[in-house]
């Protein structure tokens, strides 16, 4: 089993920045096709935010965050990051990282979930 631990969430004003980290308990590089970030706001469905393949330079972003968020990886540290800039109140949610065995942005394709880190953006 893989344990994923998110960190870096907090309270930030609109327009500010945060960087989230997701550390895996064991090597995910070469084991999983990609690592994704999802988020879920109260009363809403969990949605895809960003994803990155371990083996290549492929990255994927939801339209709502494209140009503001950047996903990156450090295979040596078994860690994936989400740099969030120009944050908006609409970005407020619990952010989850996920290990995925195939290239997908769907929640149904997730093999392992982290427990999440809360990001709150005030106006």
């Amino acid at each position: 089993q893989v344990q994923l631990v998110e960190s870096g969430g907090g309270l930030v004003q609109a327009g500010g920045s945060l960087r989230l980290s997701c550390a895996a308990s064991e090597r995910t590089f070469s084991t999983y096709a990609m690592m994704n970030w999802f988020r879920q706001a109260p009363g809403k469905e969990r949605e895809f935010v960003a994803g990155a393949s371990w083996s290549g330079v492929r990255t994927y972003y939801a339209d709502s965050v494209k140009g503001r968020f950047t996903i990156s990886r450090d295979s040596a540290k078994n860690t994936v990051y989400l740099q969030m800039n120009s944050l908006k109140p609409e970005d407020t949610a619990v952010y989850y990282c996920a290990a995925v065995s195939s290239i997908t942005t769907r929640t149904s394709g997730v093999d392992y979930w982290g427990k999440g880190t809360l990001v709150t953006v005030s106006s």
Side-chain angles (χ1 to χ4, degrees), residues 11-52:
L11 175 64
V12 64
Q13 294 183 27
S17 299
L18 286 173
R19 190 177 77 155
L20 306 183
S21 298
C22 174
S25 62
E26 60 187 76
R27 179 166 53 88
T28 53
F29 172 71
S30 80
T31 302
Y32 294 93
M34 67 189 299
M35 298 291 290
N36 291 348
W37 286 96
F38 296 84
R39 67 185 182 187
Q40 187 168 22
K44 296 185 177 180
E45 300 268 316
R46 191 168 298 186
E47 64 177 355
F48 173 79
V49 177

Side-chain angles (χ1 to χ4, degrees), residues 2-102:
V2 176
Q3 294 182 32
L4 304 173
V5 180
E6 303 96 335
S7 62
L11 175 64
V12 64
Q13 294 183 27
S17 299
L18 286 173
R19 190 177 77 155
L20 306 183
S21 298
C22 174
S25 62
E26 60 187 76
R27 179 166 53 88
T28 53
F29 172 71
S30 80
T31 302
Y32 294 93
M34 67 189 299
M35 298 291 290
N36 291 348
W37 286 96
F38 296 84
R39 67 185 182 187
Q40 187 168 22
K44 296 185 177 180
E45 300 268 316
R46 191 168 298 186
E47 64 177 355
F48 173 79
V49 177
S53 64
W54 281 116
S55 60
V57 296
R58 312 305 190 280
T59 58
Y60 308 83
Y61 297 95
D63 289 342
S64 59
V65 306
K66 192 173 184 179
R68 299 188 296 120
F69 291 10
T70 303
I71 188 169
S72 60
R73 306 149 296 163
D74 188 335
S75 59
K77 296 181 178 180
N78 298 316
T79 301
V80 62
Y81 305 94
L82 185 67
Q83 178 67 47
M84 306 185 296
N85 298 326
S86 302
L87 283 162
K88 304 175 181 179
E90 305 93 275
D91 296 317
T92 296
V94 176
Y95 284 71
Y96 301 88
C97 67
V100 187
S101 296
S102 61

